[in-house]
């Protein structure tokens, strides 16, 4: 009965609904397979990403305004105080820099003697974190830098005190970064005290990393500083990552239960720095830092 | 004619844009696990009230947009949203005679399916997700429904009166 009526006069019938739904579901699955296998769909992402950019700016607006207003509305007293503090800090840093320069020169000289590869000085650029929640199930950030700024996938991100994470997706104007605390993140580190190498895994908590690969008799203590080892290629070596917070050795198990606290305040940062491990790296995202350093050396 | 069409779609487009923005607004830790799936709830509403105009096609496109915004696998949210909207459109006449509580139970089931499909794809593509808090959006989305429903119904009649 309903079929004999004109479609538009009958709100109950949606033509070919089941077929359309099925076709779209198949299309969605095909897209997922394509996207998962390789990165053929980057241009699609870029295009939609540009369309989303204004929306991200709108969402980010209030936070930006709050920062701006906070700067404008500070009292003279607190500014003076901050000024004073910064001046003191600068003196300390400058003093440290003096020795650092000397040490760097000495280091280069010693390495030359050993005929080791000279460590290329890292290039650093400040980027701002947009107040945009990207993925609710990952520890990720949206940054206000994109392809145009030379950001690339796998690029290391640090703040003033330590490693924050790495870039996992680069759009034209924004990019997404994964924090080291994400459960899917693994970072090759070494103990600063003795060079013991291991891998730090994220746990999904901001304040804790796990080091599951350490044998029960490994030389590691509470308070040890972990720095990036530079193995694995993505991260330049020598950046502080975390401080070992607990070491549990269970006699019946082969591996010690070690956790560490990241030195960077992962849930509080607003400004972070992108690190280009070697000059020219940004131009060629495919080359590993080691390869780039190699060509630099020649 | 075309201007008429544009003004007819305007409320829907605006609400969808607002939902997308609300999806991205940063929330304090602890609260954000209860962030409702704004876009999913909204799409259920529009598919429920205007199934001829807003059906699986719109759901698919919107799903792709969410995938880009959240950096998930392209097609993941599209798949979940198409499935949920399909069921909503399929049963929208039945749902219209439901009393509020029963309607909320239906919305709960739809949102649970949405979240489950996302969870399932995450599992296949090896993205780990937190355990219990994962289902927070289902609860908050359901609780949101009566408020959103009464608010959007006003809009909906404005939309329909111009058809």
């Amino acid at each position: 009965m309903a079929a004999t009526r004109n479609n538009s006069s009958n709100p109950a019938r949606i033509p070919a609904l089941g077929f359309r739904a099925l076709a779209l579901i198949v299309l969605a699955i095909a897209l997922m397979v394509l996207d998962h296998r390789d990165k053929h769909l980057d241009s699609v992402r870029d295009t939609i990403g540009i369309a989303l950019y204004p929306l991200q700016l709108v969402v980010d607006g209030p936070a930006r305004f709050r920062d701006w207003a906070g700067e404008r509305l500070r009292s003279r007293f607190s500014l003076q105080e901050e000024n004073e503090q910064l001046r003191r800090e600068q003196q300390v840093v400058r003093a440290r820099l003096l020795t650092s320069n000397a040490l760097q020169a000495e280091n280069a000289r010693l390495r030359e003697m050993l005929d080791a590869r000279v460590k290329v000085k890292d290039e650093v650029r400040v980027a701002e974190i947009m107040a945009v929640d990207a993925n609710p199930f990952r520890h990720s950030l949206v940054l206000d830098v994109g392809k145009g700024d030379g950001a690339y996938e796998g690029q290391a991100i640090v703040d003033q005190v330590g490693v924050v994470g790495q870039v996992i997706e680069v759009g034209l104007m924004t990019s997404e970064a994964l924090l080291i605390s994400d459960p899917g993140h693994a970072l090759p580190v070494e103990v600063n005290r003795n060079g013991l190498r291991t891998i730090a895994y994220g746990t999904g908590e901001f304040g804790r990393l796990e080091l599951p690969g350490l044998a029960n008799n490994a030389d590691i203590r509470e308070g040890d500083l972990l720095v990036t080892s530079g193995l694995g290629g993505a991260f330049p070596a020598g950046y502080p990552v975390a401080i070992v917070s607990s070491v549990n050795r269970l006699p019946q198990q082969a591996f010690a239960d070690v956790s560490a606290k990241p030195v960077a305040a992962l849930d509080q940062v607003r400004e972070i720095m992108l690190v280009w491990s070697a000059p020219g790296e940004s131009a060629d995202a495919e080359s590993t830092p080691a390869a780039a350093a190699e060509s630099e050396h020649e | 004619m075309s201007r008429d069409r544009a003004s007819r779609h305007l409320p829907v487009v605006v609400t969808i844009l607002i939902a997308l923005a609300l999806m991205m607004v940063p929330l304090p830790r602890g609260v954000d696990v209860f962030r409702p799936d704004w876009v999913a709830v909204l799409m259920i509403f529009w598919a429920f009230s205007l199934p001829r105009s807003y059906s699986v096609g719109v759901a698919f496109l919107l799903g792709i947009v969410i995938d880009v915004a959240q950096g998930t696998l392209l097609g993941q949210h599209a798949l979940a949203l198409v499935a949920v909207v399909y069921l909503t459109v399929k049963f929208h006449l039945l749902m219209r005679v439901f009393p509020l509580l029963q309607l909320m139970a239906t919305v709960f089931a739809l949102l649970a399916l949405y979240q489950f499909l996302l969870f399932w794809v995450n599992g296949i593509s090896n993205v780990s997700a937190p355990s219990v808090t994962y289902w927070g959006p289902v609860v908050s989305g359901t609780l949101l429904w009566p408020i959103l429903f009464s608010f959007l119904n006003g809009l909906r009649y404005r939309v329909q009166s111009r058809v």
Side-chain angles (χ1 to χ4, degrees):
Chain A
M1 197 160 49
T4 58
R5 258 194 259 165
N6 189 357
N7 261 343
S8 59
S9 68
N10 179 2
R13 263 192 63 82
I14 313 292
L17 174 70
F19 174 73
R20 271 162 57 205
L22 196 67
L24 288 172
I25 283 176
V26 169
L27 184 59
I29 292 173
L31 275 178
M32 281 192 280
V33 171
L34 266 181
D35 197 28
H36 193 56
R37 285 243 175 114
D38 29 35
K39 299 276 174 188
H40 286 322
L41 300 169
D42 278 1
S43 55
V44 180
R45 267 185 204 279
D46 283 351
T47 315
I48 301 174
I50 292 173
L52 274 173
Y53 186 60
L55 207 58
Q56 285 180 325
L57 280 184
V58 169
V59 170
D60 187 43
R64 207 162 275 257
F65 176 76
R66 192 191 55 212
D67 286 359
W68 178 84
E71 283 294 314
R72 291 287 174 285
L73 301 175
R74 297 269 280 289
S75 72
R76 182 187 155 86
F77 177 72
S78 71
L79 277 176
Q80 263 174 346
E81 202 171 6
E82 189 184 327
N83 202 346
E84 186 64 30
Q85 195 193 338
L86 285 174
R87 191 169 295 158
R88 246 179 290 139
E89 227 171 77
Q90 203 205 356
Q91 273 175 351
V92 175
V93 170
R94 200 175 269 173
R96 247 187 240 154
L97 195 64
L98 283 176
T99 54
S100 159
N101 279 342
L103 284 173
Q104 223 165 27
E106 185 184 343
N107 194 352
R109 222 169 38 242
L110 288 171
R111 275 172 182 274
E112 223 165 277
M113 274 191 219
L114 289 166
D115 207 19
R117 195 188 296 141
V118 181
K119 187 185 168 200
V120 189
K121 232 180 164 184
D122 300 325
E123 195 192 322
V124 167
R125 216 203 97 159
V126 174
E128 202 156 313
I129 295 167
M130 297 179 82
V132 173
D133 260 7
N135 193 331
F137 309 121
R138 311 201 79 164
H139 283 191
S140 59
L141 305 168
V142 177
L143 309 175
D144 69 342
V145 293
K147 266 181 200 142
D149 306 284
Y152 58 92
E153 252 169 59
Q155 185 168 28
I157 296 170
V158 300
D159 70 356
Q160 296 94 322
V161 282
V163 174
V164 173
Q166 61 176 298
V167 177
I168 51 168
E169 233 175 75
V170 187
L172 280 186
M173 272 162 307
T174 58
S175 51
E176 199 185 334
L178 192 66
L179 296 177
I180 54 171
S181 55
D182 184 90
H185 195 276
L187 177 64
V189 294
E190 63 184 24
V191 177
N192 200 28
R193 180 167 52 85
N194 55 14
L196 178 71
R197 284 190 308 269
T198 181
I199 294 174
Y201 292 91
T203 58
E205 295 167 42
F206 283 114
R208 200 166 72 87
L209 302 179
E210 246 169 18
L211 293 87
L214 283 169
N216 236 344
N217 59 355
D219 178 16
I220 190 160
R221 302 178 208 139
E222 269 179 42
D224 275 348
L225 178 68
L226 302 170
V227 299
T228 50
S229 63
L231 299 173
F235 282 88
Y239 282 92
V241 177
I243 289 170
V244 175
S245 56
S246 80
V247 181
N248 253 331
R249 297 177 211 271
L250 296 168
Q252 66 272 29
Q253 275 171 8
F255 293 103
D257 179 15
V258 184
S259 39
K261 190 181 182 333
V263 287
L266 297 179
D267 49 350
Q268 288 161 19
V269 282
R270 172 92 176 147
E271 265 162 8
I272 48 98
M273 285 167 280
L274 295 174
V275 181
W276 279 266
S277 323
E281 174 80 349
S282 56
D284 184 9
E286 293 305 308
S287 71
T288 62
E294 193 76 69
S295 60
E296 181 71 21
H297 190 58
E298 281 165 12
Chain B
M1 180 65 199
S2 70
R3 183 182 291 172
D4 225 39
R5 272 179 70 91
S7 69
R8 194 151 63 86
H9 290 294
L10 192 66
V12 182
V13 172
V14 169
T15 49
I16 285 175
L17 282 179
I18 293 173
L20 282 172
L22 285 172
M23 178 184 82
M24 294 193 287
V25 164
L27 291 177
R29 295 283 147 199
V31 182
D32 62 347
V33 297
F34 287 105
R35 181 204 300 266
D37 282 311
W38 292 100
V39 183
V41 178
L42 196 73
M43 262 323 283
I44 291 176
F45 177 83
W46 287 121
F48 163 79
S49 25
L50 301 169
R52 301 192 68 81
S53 315
Y54 306 100
S55 162
V56 286
V58 179
F60 182 82
L61 291 179
L62 213 49
I64 296 286
V65 171
I66 301 176
D67 284 326
V68 172
Q70 303 206 332
T72 47
L73 214 51
L74 215 58
Q76 181 174 2
H77 284 85
L79 170 75
L81 209 54
V82 165
V84 164
V85 165
Y86 167 69
L87 289 175
T88 312
V89 173
K90 181 105 182 143
F91 296 112
H92 73 280
L93 282 187
L94 194 60
M95 282 163 69
R96 278 187 192 165
V97 295
F98 280 174
L100 180 64
L101 271 182
Q102 205 174 347
L103 193 54
M104 277 174 77
T106 314
V107 170
F108 183 84
L110 286 171
L111 289 176
L113 172 72
Y114 179 75
Q115 206 70 355
F116 172 77
L117 285 172
L118 297 180
F119 182 70
W120 183 57
V121 174
N122 273 347
I124 292 174
S125 58
N126 291 324
V127 178
S128 48
S131 48
V132 189
T133 54
Y134 190 83
W135 305 98
V138 180
V139 177
S140 58
T142 310
L143 296 177
L144 180 77
W145 178 263
I147 307 164
L148 207 68
F149 185 79
S150 55
F151 170 70
L152 288 178
N153 245 348
L155 269 180
R156 172 193 150 194
Y157 285 124
R158 276 185 52 195
V159 174
Q160 276 194 328
S161 64
R162 290 188 207 168
V163 174

